[in-house]
Amino acid sequence: MTRFTPEELKAARDRLVPDVVAGGLHVLFCGINPGLMTAATGHHFARPGNRFWPVLHLSGFTPRLLKPSEQRELLSYGLGITNVVARATARADELSAEEYREGGRLLAEKVAGLRPRWLAVVGVTAYRAAFDDRKARVGPQGRTIGASRVWVLPNPSGLNAHWTAATMAEEFARLRVAAEQG
């Protein structure tokens, strides 16, 4: 993995990272916003401590552990990645409530156009802020966006100590089963 200097990471602040999307996906995973490592590399969930890629594999979504640089391979499995807020920051707490709300509005427009079976937001706090749903919990939501159903997954950041890779994989697998059933 490429090593970046603190200056290079700082220079990645506010960069945009292209989505990995296509119409009619089985699941569109939605992160909170790109971190600086993601922005520096251009690859989603690129920070070494992030458990997204291992959990995706452990849950059965991918037949092998993908590297962030292989993110476009997700499309061949009917999967994609986007973010609630597009701009990169060092920490999600740098985002304003307005950015979350506007991100939720733009995300709803994106989902309505792409029409994935499921939108999977990774991070219940981000989902609550983006969609003004303070009672949301991890799991399937009552909300739909067009024909797309919504599932909230635990945040795979290494900072989320409440969930282990194994317990996250169980929740991701619940979504995978639901997505396979249509």
Side-chain angles (χ1 to χ4, degrees), residues 13-25:
R13 182 177 298 281
D14 297 325
R15 278 191 200 157
L16 305 181
V17 178
D19 292 339
V20 178
V21 296
L25 296 169

Side-chain angles (χ1 to χ4, degrees), residues 17-23 25 28 41-45 52-53 56 62 64 66-82 114:
V17 178
D19 292 339
V20 178
V21 296
L25 296 169
L28 177 59
T41 63
H43 305 128
H44 293 272
F45 300 103
F52 177 80
W53 298 103
L56 205 63
T62 60
R64 66 179 181 84
L66 298 176
K67 297 178 208 151
S69 62
E70 297 174 302
Q71 64 187 12
R72 303 238 15 115
E73 192 172 318
L74 289 176
L75 296 173
S76 69
Y77 305 122
L79 308 173
I81 304 176
T82 189
L114 292 172

Side-chain angles (χ1 to χ4, degrees), residues 53-171:
W53 298 103
V55 167
L56 205 63
H57 173 61
L58 288 170
S59 65
F61 271 111
T62 60
R64 66 179 181 84
L65 176 59
L66 298 176
K67 297 178 208 151
S69 62
E70 297 174 302
Q71 64 187 12
R72 303 238 15 115
E73 192 172 318
L74 289 176
L75 296 173
S76 69
Y77 305 122
L79 308 173
I81 304 176
T82 189
N83 287 289
V84 173
V85 176
R87 77 177 183 97
T89 61
R91 296 178 324 277
D93 66 6
E94 296 176 41
L95 301 173
S96 70
E98 179 54 38
E99 283 180 287
Y100 276 111
R101 282 190 297 276
E102 178 65 6
R105 187 187 70 74
L106 294 172
L107 177 60
E109 286 179 6
K110 187 181 300 186
V111 168
L114 292 172
R115 299 178 17 215
R117 281 189 207 150
W118 288 93
L119 169 66
V121 179
V122 294
V124 69
T125 302
Y127 177 81
R128 288 173 181 160
F131 292 101
D132 195 31
D133 185 349
R134 302 198 191 299
K135 295 182 185 211
R137 301 280 182 257
V138 168
Q141 305 301 301
R143 169 188 309 268
T144 58
I145 300 173
S148 301
R149 290 168 284 178
V150 179
W151 196 294
V152 175
L153 292 167
N155 184 340
S157 166
L159 300 175
N160 183 3
H162 292 98
W163 291 80
T164 67
T167 57
M168 273 191 270
E170 289 172 9
E171 188 61 31

